[in-house]
Amino acid sequence: MPSVSAALVRRLTPADAPALRQLRLDALRETPEAFGSSYEEEHTLTLDDIRGWIAPANDSAMFGVFVQDALAGMVGVARQRKLKMRHKAHVWSMYVAPGQRGQGLGRLLMRAAIDHAAGMRGVRRVQLSVTANNDAAFNLYVTLGFEEYGHECEALCVNGVLYDELLMALPLAGK
Ligand SMILES: CC(C)(COP(=O)(O)OP(=O)(O)OC[C@H]1O[C@@H](n2cnc3c(N)ncnc32)[C@H](O)[C@@H]1OP(=O)(O)O)[C@@H](O)C(=O)NCCC(=O)NCCS
């Protein structure tokens, strides 16, 4: 198994659209209960749609972790658009391919997302939601300083099964 030191985290660019599209669809199929969106809604997205996600933008970014030049994980971060909510950024699409888990790649991705949010002027908090039974993701977020601030009952219904979600936030120091 490759070590975390062999992994590269970088911001995704439109050239990464084919690999990102594949990984996103893999994620939605493999762990549908971990995401608000679904394979059924996204498998028709074109490469142009995906390029739109990763086109250069001041207020949003996606990061990928690469192992031997292959995209092994992804995360997105975006600040809220509304004037009254622009002090908050949201993390979405956090995923590491099953064969690459447990070696620190998820932590690298989350650190990149947090650092990016911290670099956005006026952003004071990073927020996310996580399915209540997702111990791996919850533990990762707690070790990075996220705190639970809410619990949404029956937040997702996936194939007829209801899942609660935990709402988590990381206050950015010095902001
Ligand atoms: C959650 C996920 C991104 C973690 O990625 P990863 O690369 O395996 O995580 P890391 O190796 O960086 O682990 C970082 C920390 O997460 C926690 N963690 C990771 N896997 C865990 C597991 N199976 N059980 C408990 N805690 C776990 C630990 O705190 C770990 O720190 P440690 O290694 O010092 O104990 C990955 O499991 C995943 O993609 N899951 C499916 C999709 C998903 O749940 N996305 C999150 C949506 S909110």
Side-chain angles (χ1 to χ4, degrees):
M1 192 175 274
S3 77
V4 68
S5 59
L8 167 77
V9 176
R10 66 166 173 80
R11 190 168 177 174
L12 297 178
T13 72
D16 298 305
L20 176 59
R21 183 177 184 279
Q22 187 61 56
L23 191 67
R24 176 81 181 165
L25 293 179
D26 290 348
L28 294 173
R29 263 189 303 236
E30 191 237 337
T31 48
E33 68 285 355
F35 303 100
S37 191
S38 61
Y39 177 83
E40 292 74 9
E41 287 160 307
E42 293 199 9
H43 78 281
T44 52
L45 293 182
T46 65
L47 286 180
D48 270 348
D49 294 325
I50 304 293
R51 281 183 202 107
W53 293 1
I54 43 183
N58 290 332
D59 287 349
S60 64
M62 291 196 80
F63 292 88
V65 62
F66 292 81
V67 175
Q68 293 170 350
D69 292 333
L71 184 63
M74 63 185 165
V75 68
V77 59
R79 86 186 290 165
Q80 300 268 2
R81 292 190 177 172
K82 292 283 189 186
L83 283 177
K84 295 174 188 172
M85 294 189 265
R86 286 178 55 75
H87 60 290
K88 296 183 282 186
H90 184 74
V91 168
W92 66 289
S93 198
M94 176 69 187
Y95 182 74
V96 171
Q100 303 289 355
R101 289 180 193 157
Q103 40 178 348
L105 303 187
R107 190 181 297 282
L108 288 179
L109 283 167
M110 275 303 295
R111 286 212 176 109
I114 293 166
D115 287 350
H116 193 75
M120 293 178 186
R121 205 157 90 167
V123 169
R124 297 170 57 87
R125 290 167 73 83
V126 183
Q127 297 184 329
L128 55 81
S129 55
V130 55
T131 314
N133 65 0
N134 189 344
D135 292 341
F138 180 81
N139 289 345
L140 168 59
Y141 304 148
V142 166
T143 63
L144 288 167
F146 281 81
E147 293 173 0
E148 184 180 333
Y149 70 91
H151 184 129
E152 183 181 354
C153 294
E154 301 189 348
L156 298 179
C157 181
V158 185
N159 299 323
V161 180
L162 291 161
Y163 295 88
D164 290 2
E165 275 192 342
L166 308 178
L167 310 179
M168 304 188 79
L170 173 72
L172 294 173
K175 290 251 182 166

